[in-house]
Amino acid sequence: GAGVSQSPRYKVAKRGQDVALRCDPISGHVSLFWYQQALGQGPEFLTYFQNEAQLDKSGLPSDRFFAERPEGSVSTLKIQRTQQEDSAVYLCAGGTNADQPQHFGDGTRLSIL
Amino acid sequence: KQEVTQIPAALSVPEGENLVLNCSFTDSAIYNLQWFRQDPGKGLTSLLLIQSSQREQTSGRLNASLDKSSGRSTLYIAASQPGDSATYLCAVGDSGTYKYIFGTGTRLKVLA
């Protein structure tokens, strides 16, 4: 597709379940970022990939959060043993390089019951 | 630690008005600043990107300025329209890490 694609758009899970969120970046985009956006707040940085290398994961809130991009294209954000405070919109963004404009997907809205 | 603040938090104006949204940041060591628009339930749409060496960028009815030394950026919207109603987010690119630090946004409503 022409833009960044994220799936699923909506995810509801029970507390304690594991979830996996997918990001399909624009072809050729080297850099890929994950952000978490709580209701009424701006997005907050989670992690950054340059191709398949995860160069910064300082924003991941706990060791329950794990992200990968094994072939330098599609990325998956996994959250284990979900908790209610994990409820948020998870946004993926990509760019041709780290210092270029970031193009955002529509996000995955995660609700933990 | 970089902090980004946007004022006002919400704004309601009649159609046709010119308006200014403000963004301030605490650390001038940025590599760029980007203004985004976010519609309800949607992702972010990039409006304007200003590199750290630039002072302003223009696109149609939008003009964004950057004053790195004072830690300020403004987004000017001319002749506002109801279709401009959205949340506007300011994000600064952190030098060295490239991650974006976002403000909490300005919720704009333009009344017909």
Side-chain angles (χ1 to χ4, degrees):
Chain A
V4 178
S5 177
Q6 292 188 245
S7 59
R9 285 297 318 279
Y10 304 93
K11 176 69 179 177
V12 179
K14 292 183 179 178
R15 185 164 54 93
Q17 288 183 330
D18 298 347
V19 298
L21 313 180
R22 178 186 169 103
C23 172
D24 279 273
I26 296 171
S27 177
H29 275 190
V30 170
S31 62
L32 187 145
F33 299 80
W34 283 97
Y35 294 87
Q36 179 190 58
Q37 186 176 23
L39 189 64
Q41 301 296 312
E44 292 194 357
F45 170 81
L46 293 177
T47 187
Y48 160 57
F49 289 86
Q50 182 90 340
N51 295 306
E52 70 279 3
Q54 188 175 21
L55 300 186
D56 188 344
K57 54 182 180 179
S58 62
L60 296 177
S62 77
D63 59 7
R64 296 184 298 103
F65 286 70
F66 173 76
E68 60 183 5
R69 194 186 185 197
E71 297 179 359
S73 55
V74 171
S75 177
T76 304
L77 176 66
K78 297 179 180 178
I79 309 174
Q80 297 177 324
R81 304 181 304 281
T82 52
Q83 300 178 5
Q84 282 192 320
E85 61 261 32
D86 300 335
S87 296
V89 175
Y90 291 84
L91 295 164
C92 174
T96 53
N97 212 334
D99 61 347
Q100 295 303 306
Q102 296 184 22
H103 300 270
F104 281 76
D106 282 345
T108 293
R109 184 176 299 276
L110 176 64
S111 298
I112 305 300
L113 304 179
Chain B
K1 179 186 171 187
Q2 178 76 269
E3 291 183 7
V4 180
T5 303
Q6 290 188 245
I7 294 174
L11 182 62
S12 186
V13 300
E15 182 177 6
E17 275 205 6
N18 303 323
L19 53 100
V20 175
L21 308 183
N22 297 290
C23 172
S24 61
F25 48 95
T26 55
D27 187 347
S28 61
I30 67 173
Y31 69 92
N32 65 28
L33 183 145
Q34 198 163 353
W35 282 93
F36 295 89
R37 168 185 173 137
Q38 187 172 35
D39 293 286
K42 294 290 189 180
L44 279 63
T45 300
S46 177
L47 298 174
L48 289 165
L49 171 75
I50 311 176
Q51 299 291 356
S52 62
S53 58
Q54 297 175 324
R55 299 282 292 186
E56 67 175 344
Q57 284 288 330
T58 297
S59 176
R61 294 182 294 108
L62 305 179
N63 175 275
S65 67
L66 173 64
D67 184 343
K68 254 186 24 171
S69 60
S70 67
R72 294 180 187 277
S73 176
T74 60
L75 178 67
Y76 175 82
I77 303 176
S80 58
Q81 303 171 356
D84 295 331
S85 299
T87 295
Y88 290 80
L89 290 158
C90 165
V92 299
D94 183 66
S95 283
T97 65
Y98 299 112
K99 63 186 177 186
Y100 271 172
I101 313 297
F102 283 82
T104 53
T106 294
R107 293 187 309 282
L108 172 65
K109 182 175 285 188
V110 181
L111 305 171

